[in-house]
Amino acid sequence: GANRGGQPANLNRLPGCLMPAGHRTRGERHMTYRNIIATSALALMTAAGAAGADTWRYAFEEALDEVQGQFAQKFKEEIEANSDHTVQLFPFGTLGESADIMEQAQSGILQFVNQSPGFTGALIPEAQVFFVPYLLPQDTDALAEFFRNSEAINEMFPELYAEQGLELLTMFPEGEVCLTTQEPVTEPADLDQTKVRVMTNPLLVESYQAFGATPTPLPWGEVYGALQTGIIQGQENPMFFIESTKMYEVTEVITCMGHNNFTTAVMANQEFYDGLSDEEQQVVQDAIDVAFNHIIDYQKGLHEESIEKIKEAKPSMEVNILTEEQRQPFIEAGKKVEDQFVEMTGESGKEILDQMKEDLAEVTE
Ligand code: 6CS
């Protein structure tokens, strides 16, 4: 079947307007005298705050019709309705893997990037806090409330992203993470000898080790093929993504054990953002708020609808929601992972973890 993840050819579709990091940027080679005058005039106009209609480039890790794509489309719509600027969207595969788009955003080739903490762990170790098992609730209203008001999310994380040249604009949930495998999983022993693909995140590796599996970190583009060829036997993702990327074609069983909810983050290149006028920054913030609300609405019922679509496409697909009792050994195993997070990140990690717990208590009480 056709699937995004299994099409490495996508990676070659590098739009002509962009070149890989480290290469010459557009126009540098063919600068003519006329161009120089036009460019300087434009720069002056922009500096003077007049008619600076720019194209802002925004890359994300999913397709246009997936959650990150829905967010990006709403953001683009808002920016274009409220400013002279245009937003050019780059879905997964058009500019490379998640790690590539992050590099491009840090170097200023991209103005905006959506990268999930699952891939940000090496850059910002504290972002691994989102992989402490059973930390986040599955109640979607409580989660939305948490992301809107959390001090850890809205005040502490922006400082850590800023150290990497990134203006953190928002974090949002993408749904409960479930595991897909070839064989049923009801207890950690069932994961023995099972290679489970995880995002490239050290703490997520620790989690699956604690759960009894053999974790295998891979970029997203390699997952479908690796399942197909048996290099790995499982992977985890939110239900909408299991459906849209046809993970059910290459695995037989879905297991939901409530261990996590997928978190993602949208940021801007900091130099670019700092160079915007106050009004423009406000337009960006407002667009982010509108897109956030849109994405929370958009996801209502999405988990259940996705299960139905999967069952329609493949009636033999098993979907198991583990009972409270079955979850206990996974919860127990997960406690060690929280300690490992603190070991990995020290004082600043501990502060974020404690603040997150406080923020979460406020929305789950
Ligand atoms: O598993 C992954 O790598 C991907 N999962 C989701 C839900 N979004 C993007 C990410 O690359």
Side-chain angles (χ1 to χ4, degrees):
N3 79 91
R4 253 175 349 92
Q7 288 175 345
N10 266 351
L11 302 183
N12 298 328
R13 274 201 279 124
L14 196 67
C17 65
L18 282 182
M19 289 185 170
H23 288 63
R24 220 184 253 116
T25 51
R26 172 164 56 141
E28 237 171 89
R29 192 159 43 163
H30 305 292
M31 265 293 186
T32 61
Y33 185 60
R34 223 170 97 194
N35 268 341
I36 292 169
I37 292 179
T39 311
S40 312
L42 187 65
L44 278 175
M45 275 160 64
T46 311
D54 296 325
T55 297
W56 293 346
R57 291 182 287 266
Y58 178 143
F60 46 100
E61 303 168 316
E62 297 174 6
L64 271 173
D65 59 359
E66 291 168 341
V67 173
Q68 289 182 18
Q70 294 290 333
F71 185 100
Q73 289 192 69
K74 184 55 84 178
F75 177 79
K76 172 183 164 75
E77 198 182 303
E78 287 297 305
I79 294 291
E80 294 180 355
N82 297 299
S83 76
D84 293 335
H85 305 306
T86 304
V87 179
Q88 190 180 8
L89 299 179
F90 294 93
F92 175 80
T94 56
L95 296 177
E97 288 282 358
S98 182
D100 301 312
I101 58 175
M102 177 53 106
E103 236 178 67
Q104 292 156 16
Q106 283 185 297
S107 67
I109 296 173
L110 293 173
Q111 284 70 46
F112 296 94
V113 67
N114 184 330
Q115 185 182 62
S116 304
F119 294 107
T120 317
L123 200 63
I124 304 168
E126 292 87 345
Q128 296 178 101
V129 74
F130 296 102
F131 299 94
V132 170
Y134 298 98
L135 180 64
L136 296 180
Q138 296 302 350
D139 181 285
T140 48
D141 291 335
L143 258 179
E145 187 71 0
F146 164 72
F147 280 98
R148 278 197 185 98
N149 300 322
S150 159
E151 194 178 318
I153 302 283
N154 298 295
E155 279 159 50
M156 295 168 88
F157 270 117
E159 286 178 22
L160 297 170
Y161 278 77
E163 285 169 19
Q164 303 302 326
L166 298 162
E167 177 76 25
L168 178 63
L169 297 171
T170 189
M171 288 186 170
F172 62 87
E174 292 197 51
E176 177 179 348
V177 172
C178 296
L179 174 65
T180 76
T181 50
Q182 308 302 351
E183 303 288 337
V185 177
T186 55
E187 55 177 337
D190 294 330
L191 285 170
D192 189 31
Q193 309 291 321
T194 307
K195 291 205 188 91
V196 177
R197 177 271 176 170
V198 291
M199 290 180 281
T200 53
N201 182 305
L203 200 71
L204 197 47
V205 168
E206 296 295 344
S207 286
Y208 270 92
Q209 223 140 36
F211 290 166
T214 306
T216 309
L218 283 176
W220 170 248
E222 290 174 35
V223 177
Y224 190 98
L227 284 165
Q228 204 169 27
T229 54
I231 289 169
I232 54 171
Q233 292 84 39
Q235 64 87 37
E236 59 156 38
N237 256 308
M239 205 58 82
F240 83 87
F241 204 67
I242 293 174
E243 192 276 320
S244 61
T245 64
K246 302 191 187 327
M247 286 292 106
Y248 55 82
E249 290 180 347
V250 284
T251 45
E252 304 298 329
V253 185
I254 299 175
T255 307
C256 301
M257 47 207 192
H259 67 298
N260 205 5
N261 195 292
F262 196 97
T263 297
T264 199
V266 176
M267 43 250 145
N269 172 287
Q270 188 141 52
E271 243 179 74
F272 154 77
Y273 186 82
D274 289 345
L276 297 178
S277 67
D278 289 352
E279 291 76 23
E280 285 171 322
Q281 288 186 358
Q282 194 57 50
V283 170
V284 169
Q285 296 293 342
D286 292 347
I288 288 287
D289 289 347
V290 172
F292 181 96
N293 291 334
H294 168 70
I295 217 61
I296 297 299
D297 268 4
Y298 173 81
Q299 289 184 73
K300 294 212 165 103
L302 188 59
H303 179 90
E304 293 73 20
E305 280 163 34
S306 303
I307 294 180
E308 274 168 34
K309 281 193 192 166
I310 292 168
K311 291 226 166 180
E312 232 167 80
K314 181 173 167 178
S316 69
M317 194 74 186
E318 222 180 285
V319 182
N320 297 327
I321 317 290
L322 296 198
T323 63
E324 281 307 318
E325 203 185 328
Q326 288 171 323
R327 289 176 191 207
Q328 273 318 306
F330 291 101
I331 295 173
E332 283 307 313
K335 288 183 179 153
K336 187 174 94 191
V337 181
E338 179 170 329
D339 299 336
Q340 282 166 316
F341 169 74
V342 175
E343 270 167 46
M344 277 180 188
T345 55
E347 202 45 46
S348 80
K350 177 92 174 72
E351 265 175 47
I352 288 236
L353 177 65
D354 290 345
Q355 187 60 50
M356 271 188 58
K357 285 182 178 175
E358 234 178 81
D359 300 343
L360 283 164
E362 271 175 41
V363 298
T364 49
E365 257 156 24

